[in-house]
Each structure stands twice: as C-alpha cells, then as structure tokens.
C-alpha cells in the first residue's frame, strides 16, 4: 500500500540514504527507482519543472511561504493535460530505456 503516492527520484545519495528510505516507508509511499546513469530520464525533463522555471524567472520573494504560495497557485492554473502529457512522455521514455540494455538513445 503506497497511499496513492509514487515518487520518482534519481539515485543521488541523499535520496537513497537509510533515513530517507525509512521516512518513505513510514509514509507508505512507493518509490519508482530511477535507472542508473539515465540522464535521458531526468525527472526535471518531465511535467512542470521547465515551464515552472520559465514562469518564475524574474520573480522575487521575501519568504519561503511566498514561494510556496506562488508555486501552488501556478500549479493550480495549469491544465490537466500538462501533467498527463508529462507522465505519458515519462512512461514512453522509461520503456525505451528499459529496452535499451544500457545504451543511450
């Protein structure tokens, strides 16, 4: 049971530390492991990171709460297709990577 949350992250040491793994287990969140050495599957290339960076460019915030509020408002304004298209693209790339036997494509 993962409470409906599945996290995709890379294999960076902070993400694979025992404390992080334990916390994820406590939340009962599932982790979709990032294939090693797969820059073609970077989570930053999918979903909202690129468009979010563009949208936030030039904004200045004085508190962390201002940033959080701005980002949450921006995400709520995005059409559902932004998220669906990103997930579909990730699924497609994941399949290519899984079938490439370690080769880049």
């Amino acid at each position: 049971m993962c409470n409906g949350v599945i996290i995709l992250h890379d294999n960076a040491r902070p993400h694979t530390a025992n404390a992080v793994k334990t916390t994820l287990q406590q939340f009962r969140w599932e982790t979709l492991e990032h294939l090693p050495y797969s820059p073609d599957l970077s989570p930053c290339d999918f979903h909202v990171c690129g468009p979010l960076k563009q949208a936030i460019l030039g904004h200045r915030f004085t508190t962390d709460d201002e940033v959080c509020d701005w980002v949450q408002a921006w995400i709520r304004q995005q059409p559902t297709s932004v998220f669906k298209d990103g997930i579909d693209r990730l699924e497609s790339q994941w399949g290519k990577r899984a079938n490439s036997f370690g080769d880049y494509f």
Side-chain angles (χ1 to χ4, degrees), residues 19-85:
V20 172
K21 289 180 181 181
T22 300
T23 301
L24 293 174
Q25 287 174 349
Q26 288 172 347
F27 284 133
R28 296 190 334 231
W29 290 357
E30 182 179 345
T31 302
L32 179 61
E33 297 295 332
H34 196 277
L35 296 171
Y37 311 111
S38 301
D40 46 308
L41 289 177
S42 171
C44 296
D45 293 339
F46 301 95
H47 292 345
V48 299
C49 293
L52 176 58
K53 285 187 212 178
Q54 282 294 105
I56 205 168
L57 188 67
H59 287 270
R60 299 287 180 247
F61 305 97
T62 57
T63 68
D64 289 346
D65 287 339
E66 284 182 27
V67 176
C68 290
D69 291 344
W70 189 94
V71 170
Q72 288 174 358
W74 183 87
I75 287 173
R76 282 192 294 271
Q77 293 172 357
Q78 302 310 301
T80 305
S81 62
V82 167
F83 304 102
K84 183 186 180 316
D85 293 348

